[in-house]
Amino acid sequence: MKHFLIKYRFKTGTREAWHEHIQQFIAWLDSEPDVKGKISYRCMKERDGDGYYHLAAASDEQAIKTLQSKDFFKRYTEESKRVAGGEVEVVPLELIAQTS
């Protein structure tokens, strides 16, 4: 598995519209045959702040490449940059240990 943390501060637009956009992206991940079951995605925000954190995991490099080729991913990436004022950080993570 390949893991990533995507983090940014929400700066532009309405939170409601952005949350709907995130939910739509996750629905596409769950329904798109080429990536269904190969990509895990979770979005969280600071309870009392503007920080957003997305945790993504892909089964392998091919799943990442397939996702990156999809139009819905390209639109989501652009919208992420827009709501973050152009400042989105993607951090590749290395798994050390986990629960069973």
Side-chain angles (χ1 to χ4, degrees), residues 3-11 18 22 41-46 49-56 76-77 79-93:
H3 298 268
F4 302 90
L5 170 66
I6 299 111
K7 58 185 183 173
Y8 57 90
R9 300 202 69 72
F10 184 86
K11 296 180 180 177
W18 179 229
I22 294 166
Y41 198 87
R42 178 179 295 180
C43 176
M44 293 156 279
K45 70 173 280 311
E46 293 173 3
D50 294 324
Y52 278 71
Y53 306 90
H54 301 239
L55 294 173
Y76 182 70
T77 300
E79 187 64 8
S80 297
K81 290 177 187 174
R82 187 188 72 74
V83 301
E87 299 175 30
V88 176
E89 184 178 1
V90 178
V91 181
L93 301 173

Side-chain angles (χ1 to χ4, degrees), residues 3-61:
H3 298 268
F4 302 90
L5 170 66
I6 299 111
K7 58 185 183 173
Y8 57 90
R9 300 202 69 72
F10 184 86
K11 296 180 180 177
T12 304
T14 67
R15 290 185 197 280
E16 295 79 15
W18 179 229
H19 293 181
E20 287 177 17
H21 202 80
I22 294 166
Q23 291 166 355
Q24 180 61 55
F25 176 71
I26 291 171
W28 284 324
L29 290 175
D30 284 338
S31 65
E32 174 62 41
D34 294 338
V35 296
K36 184 178 180 179
K38 298 175 185 173
I39 305 287
S40 169
Y41 198 87
R42 178 179 295 180
C43 176
M44 293 156 279
K45 70 173 280 311
E46 293 173 3
R47 185 179 341 196
D48 298 318
D50 294 324
Y52 278 71
Y53 306 90
H54 301 239
L55 294 173
S59 60
D60 54 35
E61 282 295 325

